[in-house]
Amino acid sequence: MRIDILTVLPELLESPLNHSIMKRAQDKKIVEINVHNIRDYASGKHRQVDDYAFSGGAGMVMMIEPIFKLINKLKAEREYDEIIYTSPDGEQLTQQASNILSTKTNIMILCGHYKGVDHRVREHLITREISIGDYVLTGGELAAAVITDSIVRLIPGAISDETSALSDSFQDGLLSPPVYTRPSEFNEWKVPDVLLSGNFKEIEKWQFNQSMERTEKLRPDLLDNE
Ligand code: ADE
């Protein structure tokens, strides 16, 4: 899989994409992530990427021209399954959406910034708009990192124990059960006996009941949607 991220602030993506599972997945060539600086496609001495809104008011708007040039260059090189724009008014990211995106071959993510992007980009160049939640970030870079992380960890081979991505919270519409590790007793706080029993059937039953209980208590809305 290949993910191209288009941004005016590539520095913001360096750390989240180059550590832990993201780094390993790239080293293992499971995914190729390319970060492109939109400013490299801007013209003029000042390589301007934003300008005032025609409607007036405070805040700058990302210009169409450099984005158009960059998107067209990438599209000439390969076909893209999705060209995503990160925006608080997009569809909200869900585990199901990430599952589907993780099966794609080429994805582009355009990070929004400033007051937004010239609307013609959204009308003519973007295939999908994704929000990571009902709050406003300074820019779309963190959202792009979240989307990328949630996709990449699902690609087979990205996580060494390949069953662990499937047992994530939300994968079966439920929250994950609690987990414990050694020591089995700390400060008189004990790990539930069943987990030390070695009886995997009982452990599975306990885990399912815990998942149900936690979901009912913490996220009852997940059960309503079924
Ligand atoms: N850009 C600013 N806020 C955002 C959000 N909540 N999701 C995606 N992109 C954003």
Side-chain angles (χ1 to χ4, degrees), residues 6-208:
L6 287 51
T7 169
V8 291
L9 279 174
E11 304 83 7
L12 275 181
L13 289 156
E14 270 162 26
S15 178
L17 300 180
N18 290 305
H19 293 280
S20 179
I21 290 169
M22 290 304 109
K23 179 174 188 306
R24 232 179 310 138
Q26 290 174 85
D27 290 346
K28 284 163 82 179
K29 310 251 181 279
I30 287 165
V31 66
E32 183 183 334
I33 303 174
N34 293 283
V35 177
H36 306 270
N37 192 341
I38 294 169
R39 201 173 293 281
D40 293 342
Y41 296 82
S43 44
K45 201 171 74 188
H46 300 293
R47 296 199 164 260
Q48 193 178 348
V49 291
D50 59 329
D51 209 336
Y52 294 101
F54 279 124
S55 51
M60 304 295 273
V61 176
M62 290 170 76
M63 297 162 73
I64 188 168
E65 198 186 349
I67 294 170
F68 179 80
K69 276 192 201 155
L70 175 50
I71 290 182
N72 272 357
K73 173 188 172 275
L74 292 170
K75 274 167 73 174
E77 290 165 358
R78 68 196 63 75
E79 236 176 79
Y80 283 86
D81 300 292
E82 293 282 12
I83 304 180
I84 296 166
Y85 174 59
T86 59
S87 166
D89 46 12
E91 65 175 283
Q92 201 150 317
L93 185 66
T94 60
Q95 188 62 51
Q96 204 194 349
S98 296
N99 288 347
I100 294 167
L101 287 170
S102 76
T103 66
K104 306 291 185 195
T105 308
N106 296 310
I107 291 176
M108 219 189 280
I109 307 177
L110 169 65
C111 304
H113 229 275
Y114 312 113
K115 199 158 177 57
V117 68
D118 186 311
H119 204 68
R120 289 167 290 186
V121 170
R122 298 169 74 167
E123 284 172 329
H124 301 290
L125 304 176
I126 295 298
T127 63
R128 193 162 175 182
E129 304 191 346
I130 295 183
S131 161
I132 62 161
D134 282 343
Y135 41 81
V136 179
L137 302 166
T138 310
E141 285 74 16
L142 297 180
V146 166
I147 296 165
T148 303
D149 185 299
S150 76
I151 294 171
V152 170
R153 66 195 307 287
L154 294 167
I155 305 172
I159 294 181
S160 36
D161 171 5
E162 71 277 357
T163 60
S164 72
L166 291 176
S167 61
D168 286 341
S169 274
F170 302 112
Q171 275 300 7
D172 51 7
L174 297 174
L175 301 184
S176 293
V179 291
Y180 300 86
T181 186
R182 289 185 295 174
S184 59
E185 188 170 341
F186 178 78
N187 265 356
E188 294 185 0
W189 300 325
K190 287 187 178 164
V191 170
D193 285 337
V194 63
L195 296 180
L196 309 175
S197 69
N199 183 336
F200 290 102
K201 226 170 148 190
E202 283 303 309
I203 291 175
E204 248 178 46
K205 216 158 80 185
W206 178 87
Q207 286 178 319
F208 178 73

